[in-house]
Amino acid sequence: MDEKETKRTKFAMYANQLIGSLGSGLASPFIPYYAAYLSFNSEQMGFVQAVSNFFPNVFQYLWGRISDLLRRRIIFVIIGGIVSYLMFSAFIVTHTFYYFILALSVQAIFSAMVPPAWNALIGEVSSNNKKGLFIANLSFYSNLASMISLIFFTIYAYKNVSLNIIVFYYSFYTASVLGTVSALLMLYATEPRKKTKSEDSGKVEISKKFMDFVVTVAVYNFFMSLAWPLFYVTTVDVVKANVFEVGMINLISVLFTVLLLRYFGKLSDKVGSKKFMIMSRIIFAPIPLLYGISTNVYELYAINAVTGVGTAMTNVSFTSYLIENTTLDNRGRATGIYSAVIGTVTFFGSILGGLSAQMMEGFLPLMTSLLIVYVVSTLGRSGSVSLFLKLDRAIAEKI
């Protein structure tokens, strides 16, 4: 693309992130809490988290491979965005576990169309020496919009705290409308011109370097996912947070992410993405244990401030590392492979974590059963950090 087309596409991408995140910020963070308010138990929450991880990640391989073969990116972002955002409205009428899982699955499958094409588009419109900054800027606008949405959600929830679960209905409907608009804004973008594919672009060979990265992240994320479904159980059933406090928890996390994203983006371009990955993994390691000993919402506020810092590092470093280690011809497929592996391990991790806690609740107090799973998750995360130390600095090579 020439300079004019590149600027036009970047503008569309920024607008997509800004408007889309205004919508998703009202809905995406609250889907698990909504499930908890529907009185789903620990085992069912495990399945909710598992489906949220599995389908959007595993289907990325399929969508990424098709995207690479067609060398089309924008249409995948548009279709995937429209369908997945419209599905937020379906949650308003899905009050039973099975209908909830069905709606969540459909949304997850179509949302999987976006990341492989999006990452490929980032690689095609950004320069190598400023890739981290561009990713950080995209994430900045996304998180800034999410923060604005969370502020509105929190204020509305505070004024209407007696409505409780009904507050979610308005946010889900608004998210559907704004998300659809954001997807259509990508019509303004210019599809990168097709280039002659390299001889190796059609192969599915995977380098040891890339697979080391995938395996390392998979091991860590397995132990991360053990605790994911239980965070919402702790928030709703142990701490007894109301809808306003749930909004504050998410708002605080996003606030710290927004404040640090651009700084981390510039720093990542200077020191490399690997250091940021390691630092983010260290930050996230003790989070389950901290949740396990929390008894009031103010402690959750503090914990989520810390996770906001880790999220800022994660948003910059992981995407940068993946793009640096893939080629133009197979970046979509690479994203799909990465996501499919991560989705699979977190699917089983979330189910195992939720099921384990549910089984122990039969003969142990709720807080104790949750704490046992949290301790296992913390130990696993801490031990897995060492695997990131073995990764070589990112050098682009074919997969």
Side-chain angles (χ1 to χ4, degrees), residues 256-302:
F256 277 83
T257 299
V258 168
L259 291 175
L260 294 169
L261 263 171
R262 286 185 165 179
Y263 172 72
F264 286 160
K266 293 179 182 179
L267 196 58
S268 176
D269 285 332
K270 293 181 180 179
V271 305
S273 54
K274 176 185 171 181
K275 291 181 180 179
F276 271 81
M277 285 196 297
I278 294 172
M279 291 173 64
S280 71
R281 298 309 89 180
I282 292 174
I283 288 175
F284 281 118
I287 297 301
L289 181 59
L290 295 177
Y291 256 85
I293 60 177
S294 295
T295 56
N296 64 72
V297 73
Y298 299 103
E299 292 171 347
L300 297 189
Y301 290 161

Side-chain angles (χ1 to χ4, degrees), residues 58-77:
V58 170
F59 271 82
Q60 280 186 42
Y61 176 76
L62 173 64
W63 296 127
R65 188 167 180 79
I66 295 173
S67 175
D68 281 341
L69 290 174
L70 299 178
R71 292 299 298 275
R72 304 280 295 187
R73 316 299 186 186
I74 295 175
I75 191 63
F76 283 79
V77 175

Side-chain angles (χ1 to χ4, degrees), residues 33-243:
Y33 295 105
Y34 178 64
Y37 278 114
L38 290 174
S39 299
F40 292 177
N41 60 36
S42 296
E43 181 182 358
Q44 291 172 325
M45 288 300 297
F47 275 95
V48 169
Q49 190 66 57
V51 169
S52 299
N53 297 333
F54 184 73
F55 284 110
N57 284 299
V58 170
F59 271 82
Q60 280 186 42
Y61 176 76
L62 173 64
W63 296 127
R65 188 167 180 79
I66 295 173
S67 175
D68 281 341
L69 290 174
L70 299 178
R71 292 299 298 275
R72 304 280 295 187
R73 316 299 186 186
I74 295 175
I75 191 63
F76 283 79
V77 175
I78 294 173
I79 294 176
I82 290 175
V83 177
S84 60
Y85 275 108
L86 286 176
M87 286 304 299
F88 279 122
S89 297
F91 291 110
I92 297 174
V93 295
T94 53
H95 291 176
T96 64
F97 174 70
Y98 295 106
Y99 282 115
F100 186 95
I101 290 296
L102 177 61
L104 189 63
S105 299
V106 173
Q107 183 186 55
I109 289 170
F110 278 92
S111 68
M113 293 183 71
V114 179
W118 189 260
N119 285 343
L121 200 57
I122 289 175
E124 291 169 353
V125 302
S126 60
S127 57
N128 289 328
N129 62 336
K130 293 183 178 180
K131 191 175 273 80
L133 180 59
F134 180 54
I135 293 170
N137 283 334
L138 284 171
S139 189
F140 171 80
Y141 286 113
S142 173
N143 282 277
L144 177 63
S146 294
M147 184 179 71
I148 293 171
S149 292
L150 286 168
I151 291 173
F152 279 109
F153 179 93
T154 304
I155 293 173
Y156 183 79
Y158 176 75
K159 292 183 176 180
N160 299 274
V161 68
S162 61
L163 295 177
N164 210 12
I165 197 170
I166 298 177
V167 173
F168 294 117
Y169 297 169
Y170 300 109
S171 64
F172 290 164
Y173 177 74
T174 305
S176 292
V177 175
L178 291 175
T180 300
V181 172
S182 73
L184 292 174
L185 285 172
M186 288 302 293
L187 291 171
Y188 183 72
T190 301
E191 187 75 56
R193 296 186 184 92
K194 293 184 179 181
K195 298 178 182 179
T196 303
K197 294 184 180 181
S198 64
E199 293 180 359
D200 295 329
S201 63
K203 297 181 180 179
V204 194
E205 296 177 358
I206 303 176
S207 72
K208 184 178 183 302
K209 180 181 178 62
F210 184 78
M211 284 308 302
D212 285 345
F213 170 63
V214 172
V215 171
T216 296
V217 178
V219 172
Y220 190 95
N221 278 32
F222 173 79
F223 288 106
M224 283 190 81
S225 64
L226 288 174
W228 285 344
L230 307 183
F231 288 157
Y232 310 106
V233 177
T234 294
T235 302
V236 174
D237 295 334
V238 176
V239 177
K240 305 294 185 183
N242 59 38
V243 178

Side-chain angles (χ1 to χ4, degrees), residues 283-353:
I283 288 175
F284 281 118
I287 297 301
L289 181 59
L290 295 177
Y291 256 85
I293 60 177
S294 295
T295 56
N296 64 72
V297 73
Y298 299 103
E299 292 171 347
L300 297 189
Y301 290 161
I303 294 170
N304 279 273
V306 176
T307 64
V309 177
T311 299
M313 292 181 176
T314 299
N315 288 355
V316 171
S317 60
F318 279 75
T319 302
S320 293
Y321 197 92
L322 190 149
I323 290 175
E324 290 165 3
N325 284 275
T326 56
T327 66
L328 182 63
D329 289 326
N330 55 30
R331 188 161 291 133
R333 186 167 69 254
T335 302
I337 293 171
Y338 170 84
S339 299
V341 173
I342 303 306
T344 301
V345 298
T346 54
F347 173 82
F348 289 108
S350 295
I351 290 179
L352 180 60

Side-chain angles (χ1 to χ4, degrees), residues 1-11 188-190:
M1 293 189 294
D2 57 32
E3 185 177 354
K4 183 178 180 180
E5 290 173 330
T6 299
K7 288 183 177 179
R8 178 172 171 167
T9 301
K10 284 185 175 181
F11 176 82
Y188 183 72
T190 301

